[in-house]
Structures are given as C-alpha cells and as structure tokens.
Amino acid sequence: MEGHPTLQLRIFDLNCWAIRYLSKRRQERVQLIGDMLRRECFDLVLLQEVWSEQDYSNLKVKLRGCYPFSHYFRSGVIGSGLCVFSRFPILDTLLYQYSLNGYPYMLQHGDWFCGKSVGLVVIKISGIVFNVYVTHLHAEYCREKDAYLPHRLVQAWELAQFIRAGKGVSRPCPHRHTSKAADVVLLGGDLNMHPEDVGIRLLRSWTGLRDAFTEATRFEGCEDGCTLVPNNCFTVKTELMPFPLGIRIDYILYKAVSSFTVKCEELKTTMGTAPGTDIPFSDHEAVMATLHIQRQGQAAGASLSTAELTLADVVTEARTEVGVGLRAAQRQRYSTGRMAVLALLLLLLQAVAALGALAGLAAGQPFPKLSFSLLAFLAIGVLLLATSLHLFHTIEVKMLQGTEEQMRMVLWALQEHPSDG
C-alpha cells in the first residue's frame, strides 16, 4: 500500500544430514553449504541435522561476515541439530523439547536420542517483530505401518500450541515467546510429513500458517516442490519407490499476525549436485523463499466459520490416530509390567530356595551354583529392563492421554463456542 514500504526477506531452509561418523562426505558437504550461504547471503538461514557442534562452529566462523548473528539449540543426548544464522540481531531465543519422540530401544532409528525440539528466535527488522521457528519432527521410516505416527502427531500438536500460545515459557520476556506478540511468524524445517498428511493439516489449521510452495507467485526447482528426490545419490531409493517424483517433507510456512500482509514472491529448491561438484549439499533439497512483508492500514478481518469446521474435522482425525497410539502404548505398558512382575517372582523363588539351602531345609543344592547365579543375574537384568520400559511406556501413555484430552477440549470449544475459536 502507498506510504508503507515493502520489506523483502530471503529465507534458506535445509536438513543438512550432518551426522558425525554416519553421514557420507559430511565435512565436505558442510563446507559446500557454508560456501553457498556466504555467496548467496540470505537474510535468514534455518538448518536441521547439524549434529556436530564443531560443524556449527566452523559454519559460524565462515559465515560471520554475512550472518553476524547465530544460535545453536542444544537438547537431548546428541543435540537437536537445529541452528539459525541471521543478518539481523537475535533478540531472544527459546527451545521447547517435544514430550514424545520415539523409543530409546529403537537404536537403529535414533530419534529419541536427538531430543527433537522446536527452536524460536525473535528478531526485529525495520520495526517488524518476527518470531522465527525451526524444527525437525520424528521420521516416518515406514509409511505402510507407521509406528511413530501418534508421536509425530503429538509433536505437530505441541508445535502448533507452542506457536499459538508460547507453550513452555517459564521466564518473563519482553517478547513473551508467543506469536501473539509478533508481527510475522515464520516456520521452517523438516516436518517429515507429506503436504496432505493429517499432521500438516492439523498444524496449518490450528495456527493459520500458509505454505510458501502453494502460495508462491513463482516456483523453480524439483517437480511438485519435492525435497527428497530419487535422483539424489544419498537418498534411500527403496523408501521412495511408491513416489517416483519424490516427496515434499521440508517446508517454509508463514503468516502475518497483526496489521501486516506477507506474500511469497518466489520459491526455489536446489536440484541435484552443488555447483562444480559431484555431490549434493545433503540427502534433502534445500528450500529458498523470498517473502514480501508490508504493513496494512488496519488488521484484516476474516470469517472463521469455514476454517473452524475444517479444523474440527482435522482435530477429530488426529485425535483418532492419537487414540490408536494410546491403546498400543497401554498394551506395551501392560506387557512390560507383567514381565517385570514375572522376573520379580523368579527372583523371590530363587531367594527362598537359597535361604532354604542355607537353613538346611534342602537335602542338597537343587541347581549347580553357576547356573543358579546366571539365572539370578538374568532375572535381575530382565527386571531392570522391564521396569525401565514400563516406566517409559507409562510416561508415553500419560502424554498421549494429555494430548487426546486437549484435542477433546478444543473440539468441544469449537462445537459449543465457535466464535471463540
């Protein structure tokens, strides 16, 4: 609008696949990513799977000239892998770790050890306050039998709650860590969900975030905006067999909160190998968006009735899936609890037998001492393992119950008080 200049913001988002000792040609690719970011000089850079703090430090040194402000989010055992580089001062930061994140005994997947989280940085550009979120949700691994769907839905729900209401804030802050205190909200990251999956629809319906790919005036890159494509030499081809073009699981989402408009003028993805090399930057393609932000004369009003009906349907669908996960978690809790009780009973029987032998009530040792000792150690091991798993699944049940209850309350509010949604 006349009298209100337009701010242009260029954003870069990439899952770097930089896992120490496991990712192929990691150091070389991190070097290439740094070279490209320094050459392009974006306004904001949102990175995931930077799981080596040394890699982050190296990038920080290399990018200091273009991106003087940065932050690395630490969580879990090996870290969240999330970091942000910015041309503009970072006023504040916050990390929220998701309450559910897979299973510690699924070592081949490893998501539990990462402490999957959402990181928030608050920046101010030309008087406009931006809440910038970067996240990485639990991977899918098997679409036909997705055991992690309930956990990923809980993460999507908590992410939406965090964006809407600053969930997890425990200290006073002039920015309140809530989208209500921001003028513009930006979210980038690897959401590990297809565009039509219930988790994405839940996140977008509940927060009002818009997808840069579907909103872009111009697009250049992989067909359908895919970010995991078969012709990338690092992707697992068998996982993409049902999807000949690839899948889109990396996103830049945005919305204006107050009297601003945000428009995506251009969206690009990288395509194949890095310039002048024989390898891509990562097993994911990067997403690059150019946003135009402009102040309005007054906040725009909107009718929410249709959106609320859609939201109610999506929340109902998500709640059903969470309920399926809850029942599975309850079965696992029961099984591990029963196993712990059986191991305890075996130990008690051994203790009685041992005391009887010491008291001279038995004619002789019923078992060889070595076998008896090994059986005791085995029972103790099973007891400790089963108890630990029982406690873990108890926590899982409580988190799933809590999320299901929150969704039930939202559905009630939408049905009984639609104007307050």
Side-chain angles (χ1 to χ4, degrees):
M1 295 178 62
E2 188 177 352
H4 297 291
T6 299
L7 171 68
Q8 178 177 286
L9 197 67
R10 297 178 66 227
I11 307 166
F12 178 92
D13 175 84
L14 176 65
N15 179 325
C16 298
W17 190 51
I19 311 169
R20 184 179 286 183
Y21 310 122
L22 295 178
S23 297
K24 297 176 182 177
R25 303 175 74 170
R26 172 183 60 86
Q27 293 176 310
E28 183 181 356
R29 290 187 296 100
V30 171
Q31 179 87 10
L32 290 172
I33 292 170
D35 292 340
M36 188 268 290
L37 291 177
R38 185 169 59 181
R39 182 173 62 250
E40 293 289 336
C41 207
F42 294 90
D43 296 304
L44 277 171
V45 174
L46 311 176
L47 302 180
Q48 306 93 51
E49 289 199 11
V50 182
W51 274 318
S52 165
E53 289 202 39
Q54 186 60 52
D55 287 341
Y56 166 73
S57 298
N58 293 340
L59 284 171
K60 185 176 180 179
V61 170
K62 172 174 284 194
L63 302 176
R64 187 173 295 158
C66 284
Y67 310 92
F69 308 98
S70 64
H71 186 74
Y72 187 79
F73 295 96
R74 296 170 176 85
S75 73
V77 178
I78 65 174
S80 70
L82 306 175
C83 60
V84 174
F85 293 89
S86 171
R87 287 182 53 223
F88 305 96
I90 294 175
L91 305 180
D92 208 350
T93 66
L94 181 67
L95 181 76
Y96 175 74
Q97 187 169 328
Y98 298 122
S99 60
L100 290 178
N101 189 39
Y103 305 103
Y105 50 82
M106 298 296 286
L107 301 178
Q108 73 275 26
H109 294 159
D111 293 69
W112 185 85
F113 297 93
C114 307
K116 292 288 179 68
S117 311
V118 52
L120 164 65
V121 298
V122 180
I123 63 176
K124 194 172 187 179
I125 309 171
S126 301
I128 304 173
V129 177
F130 290 81
N131 275 19
V132 182
Y133 302 85
V134 58
T135 192
H136 186 192
L137 302 191
H138 198 294
E140 188 175 66
Y141 295 110
C142 178
R143 191 162 182 83
E144 292 74 23
K145 191 177 181 181
D146 187 3
Y148 300 110
L149 176 58
H151 285 211
R152 197 160 51 254
L153 282 174
V154 170
Q155 291 178 350
W157 178 257
E158 290 179 348
L159 173 59
Q161 296 284 68
F162 183 73
I163 291 173
R164 279 174 54 91
K167 183 177 179 180
V169 179
S170 58
R171 67 181 195 277
C173 166
H175 304 287
R176 295 177 58 83
H177 291 304
T178 165
S179 61
K180 292 180 181 178
D183 298 311
V184 177
V185 173
L186 303 173
L187 168 63
D190 177 3
L191 302 184
N192 275 310
M193 294 182 286
H194 297 213
E196 296 304 318
D197 285 355
V198 61
I200 283 287
R201 289 185 282 117
L202 177 69
L203 173 63
R204 292 191 57 201
S205 298
W206 191 226
T207 60
L209 289 168
R210 296 155 64 187
D211 186 349
F213 173 74
T214 59
E215 299 283 338
T217 303
R218 297 186 304 276
F219 172 73
E220 178 183 332
C222 300
E223 191 167 351
D224 291 338
C226 293
T227 56
L228 213 58
V229 294
N231 61 3
N232 186 307
C233 64
F234 294 130
T235 58
V236 181
K237 305 300 185 291
T238 55
E239 294 180 1
L240 295 178
M241 284 180 63
F243 311 99
L245 298 179
I247 57 177
R248 183 161 75 95
I249 58 176
D250 300 88
Y251 299 82
I252 292 176
L253 307 175
Y254 62 87
K255 74 170 181 177
V257 176
S258 54
S259 55
F260 288 85
T261 60
V262 183
K263 184 178 181 181
C264 183
E265 286 293 326
E266 183 178 60
L267 188 79
K268 294 182 179 180
T269 68
T270 52
M271 298 177 66
T273 58
T277 71
D278 63 339
I279 59 171
F281 293 111
S282 172
D283 62 341
H284 289 235
E285 301 299 327
V287 182
M288 298 159 281
T290 300
L291 303 181
H292 286 183
I293 299 99
Q294 191 174 42
R295 187 184 297 272
Q296 296 184 122
Q298 59 182 5
S303 173
L304 297 178
S305 57
T306 303
E308 287 169 350
L309 289 173
T310 302
L311 175 59
D313 291 339
V314 173
V315 174
T316 299
E317 184 180 351
R319 186 185 175 203
T320 300
E321 294 292 349
V322 170
V324 171
L326 172 59
R327 289 185 289 275
Q330 289 171 330
R331 289 193 297 269
Q332 289 174 314
R333 180 178 64 174
Y334 173 76
S335 298
T336 52
R338 184 175 58 180
M339 186 183 301
V341 170
L342 291 175
L344 181 61
L345 289 175
L346 178 58
L347 279 174
L348 291 175
L349 288 174
Q350 287 186 292
V352 169
L355 290 174
L358 289 174
L361 299 178
Q365 180 68 26
F367 299 105
K369 289 185 178 180
L370 178 60
S371 300
F372 193 79
S373 300
L374 289 176
L375 186 60
F377 282 121
L378 177 62
I380 292 172
V382 171
L383 176 61
L384 292 175
L385 177 61
T387 301
S388 299
L389 291 177
H390 181 74
L391 293 175
F392 173 83
H393 288 300
T394 298
I395 295 173
E396 181 187 17
V397 166
K398 291 182 180 299
M399 293 300 102
L400 289 168
Q401 285 176 332
T403 300
E404 189 181 38
E405 178 65 15
Q406 290 174 17
M407 290 178 173
R408 186 193 65 78
M409 292 173 65
V410 166
L411 286 171
W412 178 84
L414 289 171
Q415 292 164 3
E416 298 296 326
H417 306 285
S419 60
D420 299 332

